[in-house]
Amino acid sequence: PGCNDSHKDIVYKRLTTLPEGFDVENLFIGTWSSTNNELNTDFELYSSMSYGMAGILSWNFCNYDDRDIGFPRDCGPSRGAPHQWTSLTRGGKPDYAYYVWNGNP
């Protein structure tokens, strides 16, 4: 089965500089971790690129740190959204893609 409508497009907008050696690949497809990665401190999540660019309607819930459960764990626009995550070893959603946009000033 596919993702919930709220999870078909998710924009991760980084707010803080990535620390030296930060493993972005592992963060998204390994373990979605809270280390240097706290919602509304280090990053924001949005349901569209236009919302992210405008800084409106950011998501309000995230959880982390379940080994081998990747992005977005149970993060959701207003509350937890279970079983929307990706994982290389523990099931999750099989049909996903990641894109990087480096247009920040």
Side-chain angles (χ1 to χ4, degrees):
C3 297
N4 292 345
D5 286 344
S6 62
H7 286 67
K8 291 187 190 273
D9 291 305
I10 304 171
V11 175
Y12 174 97
K13 182 179 181 178
R14 189 73 191 184
L15 303 174
T16 59
T17 303
L18 293 173
E20 185 75 29
F22 190 81
D23 190 343
V24 174
E25 180 179 358
N26 186 61
L27 180 69
F28 282 87
I29 62 171
T31 299
W32 178 245
S33 171
S34 62
T35 304
N36 298 308
N37 191 56
E38 291 281 344
L39 181 67
N40 297 323
T41 298
D42 297 301
F43 71 95
E44 295 169 336
L45 294 177
Y46 296 91
S47 296
S48 74
M49 189 66 159
S50 60
Y51 290 167
M53 297 287 291
I56 59 171
L57 301 174
S58 62
W59 288 22
N60 295 316
F61 179 84
C62 250
N63 59 356
Y64 317 83
D65 303 314
D66 189 353
R67 185 174 170 84
D68 296 326
I69 300 298
F71 179 78
R73 183 112 189 306
D74 299 330
C75 300
S78 59
R79 64 181 184 272
H83 310 294
Q84 298 303 301
W85 39 266
T86 59
S87 176
L88 296 177
T89 61
R90 291 180 57 190
K93 299 300 178 186
D95 187 18
Y96 58 89
Y98 295 102
Y99 304 92
V100 176
W101 182 67
N102 191 12
N104 297 334

